[in-house]
Amino acid sequence: MDLFGTAGVRGRVEERVTPELALAVGRAVAAEARARESERGGSPEDPPRVVLARDGRVSGPAIAAAMEAGLASGGATVSRAGRLPTPALAHASRGRYGVMLTASHNPPSDNGIKLFRDGVEFDRDLERAIEARVDAEEPPAAWDAWTEPDRVDVLHDYLDDVRGYAAGFEVDGDGAGNALDGLRVAVDCGNGMSAPATPAVLRELGATAVTLNGNVDGHFPGRGSKPTPETLRDLRAFVADANEGVDEPGRDGEGFAFGIGHDGDADRIVVVDADGEVVHEDTVLAILAERYVRASDAGDPVVVTTPNASGRIDERVRAAGGRVERVRLGALHEGIAAVRAAAEPAADGDAGDDTEVVFAAEPWKHVHTAFGGWIDGVCSAAVIAVLVASEGLESLREPIAERPYRKVSVDCPDGRKEPVMARLTDRLPAAFPDATVDTDHGVRLEFPDASWTLVRPSGTEPYVRVYAESDAVDELVEEVREVVASAVAEAES
Amino acid sequence: MDLFGTAGVRGRVEERVTPELALAVGRAVAAEARARESERGGSPEDPPRVVLARDGRVSGPAIAAAMEAGLASGGATVSRAGRLPTPALAHASRGRYGVMLTASHNPPSDNGIKLFRDGVEFDRDLERAIEARVDAEEPPAAWDAWTEPDRVDVLHDYLDDVRGYAAGFEVDGDGAGNALDGLRVAVDCGNGMSAPATPAVLRELGATAVTLNGNVDGHFPGRGSKPTPETLRDLRAFVADANEGVDEPGRDGEGFAFGIGHDGDADRIVVVDADGEVVHEDTVLAILAERYVRASDAGDPVVVTTPNASGRIDERVRAAGGRVERVRLGALHEGIAAVRAAAEPAADGDAGDDTEVVFAAEPWKHVHTAFGGWIDGVCSAAVIAVLVASEGLESLREPIAERPYRKVSVDCPDGRKEPVMARLTDRLPAAFPDATVDTDHGVRLEFPDASWTLVRPSGTEPYVRVYAESDAVDELVEEVREVVASAVAEAES
Amino acid sequence: MDLFGTAGVRGRVEERVTPELALAVGRAVAAEARARESERGGSPEDPPRVVLARDGRVSGPAIAAAMEAGLASGGATVSRAGRLPTPALAHASRGRYGVMLTASHNPPSDNGIKLFRDGVEFDRDLERAIEARVDAEEPPAAWDAWTEPDRVDVLHDYLDDVRGYAAGFEVDGDGAGNALDGLRVAVDCGNGMSAPATPAVLRELGATAVTLNGNVDGHFPGRGSKPTPETLRDLRAFVADANEGVDEPGRDGEGFAFGIGHDGDADRIVVVDADGEVVHEDTVLAILAERYVRASDAGDPVVVTTPNASGRIDERVRAAGGRVERVRLGALHEGIAAVRAAAEPAADGDAGDDTEVVFAAEPWKHVHTAFGGWIDGVCSAAVIAVLVASEGLESLREPIAERPYRKVSVDCPDGRKEPVMARLTDRLPAAFPDATVDTDHGVRLEFPDASWTLVRPSGTEPYVRVYAESDAVDELVEEVREVVASAVAEAES
Amino acid sequence: MDLFGTAGVRGRVEERVTPELALAVGRAVAAEARARESERGGSPEDPPRVVLARDGRVSGPAIAAAMEAGLASGGATVSRAGRLPTPALAHASRGRYGVMLTASHNPPSDNGIKLFRDGVEFDRDLERAIEARVDAEEPPAAWDAWTEPDRVDVLHDYLDDVRGYAAGFEVDGDGAGNALDGLRVAVDCGNGMSAPATPAVLRELGATAVTLNGNVDGHFPGRGSKPTPETLRDLRAFVADANEGVDEPGRDGEGFAFGIGHDGDADRIVVVDADGEVVHEDTVLAILAERYVRASDAGDPVVVTTPNASGRIDERVRAAGGRVERVRLGALHEGIAAVRAAAEPAADGDAGDDTEVVFAAEPWKHVHTAFGGWIDGVCSAAVIAVLVASEGLESLREPIAERPYRKVSVDCPDGRKEPVMARLTDRLPAAFPDATVDTDHGVRLEFPDASWTLVRPSGTEPYVRVYAESDAVDELVEEVREVVASAVAEAES
């Protein structure tokens, strides 16, 4: 069973991510965890511990109960953590296992399962082991290995740690948040799990957060749970209108310095500027990436990102003295691990050890590696607020070139994706001879002026996707689309 | 000790409403409850039960723990209900006792204690009994009468009942809220306890609620916890801007039909119209009063209100065939009881029994008597939403004359209030010979055109207050002020 | 699927009563409850409520979580009641549904499911409906009908009610238990759920309870969870030794008036006399039956029991002016319903209504019908303690003739049970012409001196069972066994 | 206010250890903890954390709520740990603070407060600081420093650690408890907090525990909560009778190898041998002391005990190569600290560091220093069970001489205690010239044959106490009594 797509286990709760599935996955996780602990010489008296949380979805309590049943009857001890943002669960999973029940920004009819070990999402190897055990219908453990759950309150510790981490970015701060000095920020929680987290952290850092949709409600009544320019229209209008005629928005108790939009489980963040416009996701990424590279003492600071992320990131990272590594979508944690592995000191004890992954991100999703190995939108909100308070959003954006961006889909039946991509590996470089080619994750062409295009098959739908960013983006997309379409047509015949 | 002012026990938690006070009040409540149960022949084996809740204030957990200690060591069994809106606690106190820890709209440094028996706030008699026991330092009960608390989840039942009650007001409704049909409403929860209540009820009634400050936070970061035109400026701007250029605000997914602002514990409600203007509190009161009188089958439907409430209420109530009774501020429940007592059937079994209190309210605070005997802002929000969905806010307001209103304060030392008021009882009627006079709660003059003025001493500050509502309000206030000032001057000499 | 045997759903948790089964049963119960509520015109907004509890077994938390997942995803609201004796859960199920997870006296590797509606176990009709839905793999309800559980603390109310009920049996009592006056009782809780119940009730009634195995432990370390003369040897020795040389055991702070042994979930009770001997289960039954008949004001007081219960019950019930009705094993609640149904007033409004089921019991399991419609060992303990305090155990036993009793099993393959029983319906009466014959539940013969024998096929094993009670029990059993064996032999050929 | 006697804060809950006192002490503890954290440079953002637990007393919930109110309004974060044995709370207080609400073995009408920091009871310095703050009526912290409690489940981790520690004493064990191989032990929990602890640990070590009074009940119905030969009569009879005629009691499923009696909070342990006789408390102490000295690798293994502990301890410790240090009653933790302080390496970096406190105990109260710095009766139960399983109780006792012991009280008004003791410091050595004299804690004489006497003023009553242990104890006591009486008489004149 192919449980884990690029987005992890996710789908409708009546059909796909049912309590039955959660029970089976819980059983499999417990069994796999016990097997691995036992390999390491752990005592059978000490069952592995799994922190279990959920977001605010209507289906959460039932799915959580089923997951608990699976884990406990598989011999793992469950620590019930209640409702949490995903990054808070990831934080709590350090030194143990973690299960987060969330469908992130999917509609309210869905739910999903994210698995963590020691603060990092399961890698492919662990995912495959879980799939195998689910397929084999892992039986219960012996009755006397079943466990009783306990409860843990972990949100407070997480928020404390985020606050402390973000306060470290204050230029003139004393760590107690005074540098934010009442900076006003509008936060659209989208009725999701950022509600008990981001506003509290901002307050403790000294800012004033006014929230939209700050009541947790699994029906997501206020807006769609995926933050887009469209679903954030209330936030954008709220910020824009409040700032009308205000000299220094968000200072002196008037208006808002910027706005924040989160998804349902707060791993994702969208930033809105003082005019109510969404700041391009790659710009946010570039701001953070540059900052982390600059702040690093490492000889070889690395930023890990995904193929669909803009070349503007590369520009800023290079300018700051770092380098960018790309990894397939949804696998930032594997990219981090790969860079670290490659940096292992050579046999002669030399080199390598000065490589450091200082930041890893795909659009809207940021891993603050010095804070923790998980995607963390609450931490992003805190760090960005501190940076904006110190320098202003406009001066942070200023050095970053924003070029027009497009994404189109070309029809291509699933069965033909492979031959089409094989053909394109030759055809595209041939069609654009002045571009640098990278075929690690689809075919990515980068041009001398840092404009770029990426062609890759969709993992879930019958399309080949074309992404492009360029001052002349429409022309570029059209040229690429034609090459792709003719490759599809050829494969048909 | 004069614990209970017009606003109940309320004040700063470091000095006045301390854990020590909460413990003493809890002990007194338990002892008084046991004494009364015992008088009624209750068994000593059955300790009285007290539901205990708090609002979202930072001091809430500590005050609640102290209150629980006082109640339990006094021999009453505590049902911990966690964080609730005040009306939900009142609802849960039916058939038992209730303690609500809230300072309503006071600043975050304060807390307070509201006491309920069987769904109604303690009357003066019970308050005095508590004061006497606190003064006498009520000792603990015998050790084996001490109790262990249990926990109850009561919010869901309360919301269900509110929903069912409000759905009864739908003109074409099927009780399932379809008549609201997605009506969009903006709700500013002010980081208070309406957050888990009002938006959920509106959603279940079929509306779409977008919240401001919907994250519960005892620091009240989003705005002052008292809803005023000033503290509601974000809500007002949000509604007004969203409705710009929209034909039918709050219909068809655009804009908002109206806005709602609550205080910290959700007993109070302020309504904002589609232009972002606050609807006068007396207008809201008149709309509901008229509606309840019209809907009543009673021969003598009565609306209870306070002296500071406008004559426009009287107009609409009379027009609908009812009458208005006034009672001192903060004592609606006593007014309701008094009207009911007066309506007891005479000895000959005749009459009286057709009197019914259909509504009781002071500005921003509404007792929906058919629903329950407590002030309930959540219920008001639900009923108003249903009325607006059926008829539109403008057509509800239209018959109600809104005259200009003023309130001024005339300096008057506490010691002189009594002689001043005695003098004014004669002077004011003499100065305005065409007015009807009512001296039950201060001196109230009502003129033939329904304009009115009220003069009363402040309960907490060295002032005599003058309220007036009139098409020529400035002149009226000035005339009255002069009469008052000269009475004060005379009392001085 | 034949889920419900005579003992309900019960078996090993690794194979039979797995979390997967609990999830499926929970889903089915929720769906069936919703269907029935809907038939009665209930609103879809009001999901049925199910109180969920478990005994102290190691597998309890996981099975309970799975059951909760099934119920919640089926659209029923779960009230988590934690660990309880089965009768306390039954008591809490009044006015709603109840699910008790217990394997009663089975070994610790087992668990089971007992289903209640309004204080009574599911009847065959409801059981079949559940089986059908489990077989059909009842799917989840629509996502927005899924529910969130709440928690309830119900033990205290149950114990209060038991205390009040039992106090009513005091001869000179004041209802506060003073008549027990320190009566000493030894209670062997068997590490089961009677531990937080029976000793507390006895204490509140004024007795002094000393417990054996009063620590709840799902491994049942202290003794086998089924109370038998063998597993109760520690209790029996404890009582006997403590009473050695004591004049009035259990009075004046010395020794014990009697002992009590419960099973794992406290529906079952065994009584030990002051010499440490187990009082025959039918004697206990006869004492209670006689008492209830005598106390009844009904014209036609009825005791319902099962075929394996002794004729001494009939003797005492008849002597007291009542009658006995028998019903198949495990179906006391159906027997009660049947007697009540038969007693419905005739068309002419006459008669019938004076029939009352005053008690219903099978050996060790007592339904105190005036208290509630469930088997209740805690209530039995309290009532027996009050009776013993008033009259002494010996004088209660004295009028009851105890004859020797035997039970043997005759090999008989499952497939042959039916023809064998058909044959025996003729053969046995022919072999014992002076006996009265009853073939409602197996073949039961009763002789003029009240001795009796019962022949019935086992529901779970390849045997035909022979029960007999007689002053010459060995001869009687041997005669019957021969008739049975020859019937089996004939069926074979 | 002299809050802390030798037994800590303890007394009747209606008068002395009231909720009011608990609130005041909680406030003081929080304030003192904050002051000390702040001195160490801790951040004001990080409030000190206090784990709070209680034993099973009826007054526990109310006292705990008051204590929580005091701590939270004083600015410390409370982790509610529910009902626990005292040693489990002490274990949980490592790295933070701990408050245990228990009156140990006092009657059910009492309660008390024990304070811990980092696994050790407060020393005199901290106690005085708390007394001073209580006297000064420590006010609440600023409102925004008040905290919200969380909950923790710590019992499981404690039991795991005890099990692991005790398993280390198995001679042939594999750490999984197999060496105990079903050893049967009778445990009288006295309705106290050992019930969820000792039997579970014994089970996990492989023993079979049968409990008496294993149901937690704050009325202590089964026996007095102080374990004495008299209150343990049921346990003693139970063990003795079960072992009658059994060859190897507690082996092969028959009888009991030994019995254990705990007090209400499980810091105290009494051991009963296979004949049902209480093993002398000093013998238990000597067995453990010798064992720990033998097992130690330290060059200077030290056992800390109190003046009232027998010379047989000294004998065994010396024989095993260690030394004994005595400290005043109730101050074992200070004795441990003093020995460690004295052992600090000298300026030349030499020596000292080879001193190790291997055990510290007063009668019935044992500090297993390698496990933790608190008195731990559960740990004692586990260690003793492992030793008995390996070697048999009789062979453990065999080398220890048990001499007769007496304790008498001589009348002496409080005001005269000081001059009397001064006189006795000279008189007693003069009267017994062959004895070694120690005047650190009263006057203690030790004779060449290891018999001894101790004379000390009572801390709470108008007596001078005389303790003695000797083969001719009556003569010795009489001689000493005379010396004391004449000293009292002289002081009078």
Side-chain angles (χ1 to χ4, degrees), chain C residues 232-281:
Chain C
L232 294 177
R233 64 179 180 151
D234 281 342
L235 172 68
R236 292 166 53 214
F238 185 55
V239 170
D241 293 327
N243 289 346
E244 232 169 72
V246 175
D247 276 350
E248 283 201 273
R251 297 292 188 183
D252 305 320
E254 294 277 339
F256 300 101
F258 69 108
I260 291 169
H262 285 295
D263 62 342
D265 69 334
D267 61 354
R268 189 174 280 225
I269 183 172
V270 170
V271 176
V272 167
D273 67 19
D275 299 324
E277 292 306 312
V278 169
V279 180
H280 194 283
E281 56 266 29

Side-chain angles (χ1 to χ4, degrees), chain D residues 300-348:
Chain D
D300 176 27
V302 179
V303 169
V304 173
T305 187
T306 49
N308 61 334
S310 161
R312 78 189 68 149
I313 294 151
D314 305 62
E315 276 177 43
R316 300 313 308 161
V317 167
R318 273 180 223 134
R323 66 182 166 98
V324 171
E325 288 288 338
R326 280 190 163 71
V327 69
R328 70 179 166 83
L329 273 172
L332 290 174
H333 53 298
E334 296 184 12
I336 296 168
V339 171
R340 286 179 178 159
E344 290 295 318
D348 61 351

Side-chain angles (χ1 to χ4, degrees), chain D residues 155-193:
Chain D
L155 183 61
H156 195 260
D157 282 351
Y158 166 69
L159 296 180
D160 263 6
D161 282 359
V162 172
R163 176 184 50 74
Y165 178 74
F169 287 78
E170 287 180 69
V171 172
D172 310 311
D174 57 357
N178 297 339
L180 272 75
D181 195 21
L183 184 85
R184 285 172 57 87
V185 182
V187 184
D188 184 341
C189 302
N191 305 118
M193 293 314 302

Side-chain angles (χ1 to χ4, degrees), chain C residues 57-105:
Chain C
R57 284 163 195 276
V58 172
S59 60
I63 302 283
M67 175 59 70
E68 180 183 316
L71 289 164
S73 63
T77 301
V78 177
S79 290
R80 288 180 192 159
R83 296 198 309 195
L84 286 180
T86 295
L89 180 278
H91 178 266
S93 77
R94 291 169 308 164
R96 38 192 183 178
Y97 288 80
V99 175
M100 181 70 202
L101 303 175
T102 177
S104 196
H105 57 269

Side-chain angles (χ1 to χ4, degrees), chain A residues 114-336:
Chain A
K114 288 183 181 169
L115 303 174
F116 293 85
R117 184 171 59 167
D118 199 17
V120 180
E121 278 201 65
F122 273 23
D123 57 23
R124 276 306 292 151
D125 177 43
L126 262 168
E127 287 181 354
R128 282 198 195 101
I130 300 307
E131 285 170 348
R133 288 185 188 267
V134 169
D135 284 345
E137 301 190 6
E138 179 74 28
W143 71 268
D144 53 357
W146 294 27
T147 64
E148 183 158 18
D150 56 27
R151 295 163 307 187
V152 291
D153 293 327
V154 304
L155 183 60
H156 195 260
D157 281 351
Y158 167 69
L159 296 179
D160 263 7
D161 282 359
V162 172
R163 176 184 50 73
Y165 178 74
F169 286 79
E170 288 180 68
V171 172
D172 310 311
D174 59 357
N178 296 338
L180 271 76
D181 196 20
L183 184 85
R184 285 173 56 87
V185 182
V187 184
D188 185 341
C189 301
N191 305 117
M193 293 315 304
S194 60
T198 295
V201 162
L202 294 180
R203 178 176 42 69
E204 292 190 3
L205 282 165
T208 295
V210 173
T211 64
L212 274 177
N213 300 307
N215 55 317
V216 177
D217 187 328
H219 295 84
F220 303 131
R223 62 161 168 89
S225 59
K226 179 171 181 175
T228 66
E230 177 53 24
T231 61
L232 293 178
R233 66 181 178 152
D234 280 343
L235 172 69
R236 292 168 51 214
F238 185 54
V239 169
D241 293 327
N243 289 345
E244 234 169 69
V246 176
D247 276 351
E248 281 202 275
R251 296 293 189 183
D252 305 320
E254 294 277 342
F256 300 101
F258 68 108
I260 292 169
H262 284 295
D263 61 343
D265 69 333
D267 60 353
R268 190 175 280 226
I269 183 170
V270 170
V271 176
V272 166
D273 68 19
D275 298 325
E277 292 305 314
V278 169
V279 180
H280 194 283
E281 56 266 28
D282 289 335
T283 299
V284 175
L285 219 157
I287 290 172
L288 290 169
E290 176 180 0
R291 176 65 42 148
Y292 276 114
V293 170
R294 273 198 210 289
S296 170
D297 294 331
D300 176 28
V302 179
V303 168
V304 172
T305 188
T306 48
N308 61 334
S310 160
R312 79 190 66 150
I313 294 151
D314 306 61
E315 276 178 42
R316 300 313 308 160
V317 167
R318 274 178 222 135
R323 66 183 166 97
V324 171
E325 288 289 337
R326 279 191 166 72
V327 69
R328 70 181 166 83
L329 273 172
L332 290 174
H333 54 297
E334 295 183 12
I336 296 168

Side-chain angles (χ1 to χ4, degrees), chain D residues 212-437:
Chain D
L212 274 177
N213 300 307
N215 55 316
V216 177
D217 186 328
H219 295 83
F220 303 132
R223 62 162 169 89
S225 59
K226 180 171 179 175
T228 66
E230 177 54 22
T231 61
L232 294 178
R233 64 180 179 151
D234 281 343
L235 172 68
R236 292 167 53 212
F238 185 54
V239 170
D241 293 328
N243 289 344
E244 235 170 69
V246 175
D247 275 350
E248 282 202 274
R251 295 293 188 182
D252 305 321
E254 293 277 340
F256 300 100
F258 68 108
I260 292 170
H262 285 294
D263 61 342
D265 68 334
D267 61 353
R268 192 174 277 225
I269 184 171
V270 170
V271 176
V272 167
D273 69 18
D275 298 324
E277 293 305 313
V278 169
V279 179
H280 195 283
E281 56 266 28
D282 289 335
T283 299
V284 174
L285 219 157
I287 290 172
L288 290 168
E290 177 180 358
R291 175 68 40 152
Y292 276 115
V293 170
R294 273 198 210 289
S296 171
D297 294 331
D300 176 27
V302 179
V303 169
V304 173
T305 187
T306 49
N308 61 334
S310 161
R312 78 189 68 149
I313 294 151
D314 305 62
E315 276 177 43
R316 300 313 308 161
V317 167
R318 273 180 223 134
R323 66 182 166 98
V324 171
E325 288 288 338
R326 280 190 163 71
V327 69
R328 70 179 166 83
L329 273 172
L332 290 174
H333 53 298
E334 296 184 12
I336 296 168
V339 171
R340 286 179 178 159
E344 290 295 318
D348 61 351
D350 203 45
D353 50 0
D354 204 22
T355 294
E356 188 191 341
V357 179
V358 296
F359 186 55
E362 43 184 300
W364 309 290
K365 301 180 177 175
H366 311 146
V367 179
H368 303 263
T369 45
F371 180 63
W374 55 86
I375 298 165
D376 195 327
V378 178
C379 186
S380 294
V383 169
I384 292 168
V386 171
L387 295 179
V388 168
S390 300
E391 307 178 31
L393 180 55
E394 287 318 301
S395 77
L396 290 164
R397 281 170 102 166
E398 195 260 336
I400 301 165
E402 295 190 16
R403 288 192 193 85
Y405 173 87
R406 290 288 179 287
K407 173 177 155 190
V408 301
S409 301
V410 183
D411 290 339
C412 176
D414 283 348
R416 247 170 279 152
K417 282 173 177 172
E418 208 171 314
V420 165
M421 288 308 299
R423 266 189 187 84
L424 290 173
T425 308
D426 297 332
R427 298 282 173 83
L428 282 168
F432 300 93
D434 55 338
T436 318
V437 183

Side-chain angles (χ1 to χ4, degrees), chain C residues 280-282 307-310 312 402-409 451-455 464-481:
Chain C
H280 194 283
E281 56 266 29
D282 289 336
N308 61 334
S310 160
R312 79 190 67 149
E402 294 191 15
R403 288 194 193 81
Y405 173 88
R406 291 287 180 284
K407 173 176 154 190
V408 301
S409 302
S451 64
W452 59 276
T453 186
L454 168 69
V455 179
V464 168
R465 310 278 195 198
V466 177
Y467 307 79
E469 186 185 14
S470 166
D471 287 326
V473 75
D474 290 329
E475 293 84 342
L476 176 56
V477 160
E478 184 49 28
E479 287 176 66
V480 176
R481 207 196 52 70

